[in-house]
Amino acid sequence: MIDVSSILHFLNESTLITYVVLFWLSFYFIVSFAILFSRLTYLAVWTSKERDALEDILTSRREIFQTESILRKSSELNKNNLELYKNLAEKKATVGLTWLSIIASTSPFIGLFGTVISILETFGGLGGQNSLSIIAPKISEALIATGCGIFVAIPAYTFHLIIKRKAFELLSIVDSEIKFLVKA
């Protein structure tokens, strides 16, 4: 169980670098969740529209121009135009993945940076005291930054994979629409 007094003690003993590292990681954590929720909502609505459009054109209920598909904007139904719209769809569907990759890959290093600075400050402030009872608590406090970095990186990487999969599902539907329209 986490002891609140030890967290408060850590924050009271922390330096400016530690505060900057923890703020930066907190910002990354919030951004990761914001990207996840916004992209999942957007992709779910878009996938539903494309799935309905595909079903409509497969059953000949409507022409592609009468659906909510991204392909309805194509002035001509030739393969080149449809591929351009597929590329546009891929770009729109994968928005946010770069940021999640950046967050997932840099968070552990940001945490490690905070840990290294804290350990350097611990050893620099020891003077003549080199007892393990003095060094051990300071090093354990310093490792909190690394733990926070890993704590932020794991969800960011997971969210990246989830959104990538949802974008793949959407693009599979768009690709099926294109294949059907090119044959027709």
Side-chain angles (χ1 to χ4, degrees):
M1 177 114 183
I2 297 176
D3 182 19
V4 176
S5 64
S6 64
I7 292 173
L8 292 175
H9 176 71
F10 167 75
L11 291 174
N12 285 336
E13 298 293 320
S14 296
T15 62
L16 179 62
I17 293 292
T18 304
Y19 285 124
V20 169
V21 165
L22 293 178
F23 175 77
W24 194 346
L25 292 172
S26 298
F27 175 72
Y28 269 8
F29 191 72
I30 292 166
V31 167
S32 295
F33 276 91
I35 291 171
L36 174 73
F37 294 133
S38 67
R39 297 309 300 163
L40 283 183
T41 303
Y42 179 76
L43 290 173
V45 169
W46 188 6
T47 301
S48 175
K49 287 179 181 179
E50 293 297 340
R51 189 177 292 118
D52 292 345
L54 178 61
E55 186 177 313
D56 286 348
I57 63 172
L58 287 175
T59 58
S60 300
R61 284 190 291 218
R62 289 193 225 166
E63 292 291 320
I64 191 69
F65 303 110
Q66 299 167 335
T67 67
E68 290 293 316
S69 174
I70 191 173
L71 302 176
R72 77 181 184 284
K73 298 175 185 176
S74 182
S75 57
E76 285 186 41
L77 292 180
N78 64 45
K79 187 170 175 122
N80 289 336
N81 283 354
L82 294 173
E83 286 297 322
L84 287 173
Y85 276 98
K86 181 182 174 187
N87 292 341
L88 175 65
E90 183 174 3
K91 183 178 178 183
K92 287 174 66 176
T94 58
V95 167
L97 290 181
T98 301
W99 279 108
L100 288 174
S101 293
I102 289 169
I103 291 169
S105 62
T106 60
S107 293
F109 293 113
I110 294 167
L112 186 60
F113 173 74
T115 298
V116 168
I117 296 298
S118 294
I119 289 174
L120 287 174
E121 289 173 349
T122 298
F123 285 128
L126 283 177
Q129 307 167 0
N130 54 6
S131 169
L132 187 58
S133 63
I134 294 172
I135 296 172
K138 295 285 188 183
I139 290 178
S140 69
E141 289 174 8
L143 290 172
I144 289 174
T146 299
C148 289
I150 294 168
F151 181 75
V152 170
I154 292 170
Y157 183 70
T158 304
F159 299 164
H160 177 273
L161 293 177
I162 291 169
I163 293 171
K164 189 175 178 181
R165 177 61 193 179
K166 295 295 182 185
F168 173 78
E169 291 171 7
L170 169 68
L171 293 173
S172 294
I173 295 169
V174 170
D175 192 48
S176 295
E177 289 173 327
I178 289 172
K179 286 178 182 172
F180 180 79
L181 293 171
V182 168
K183 286 183 182 179

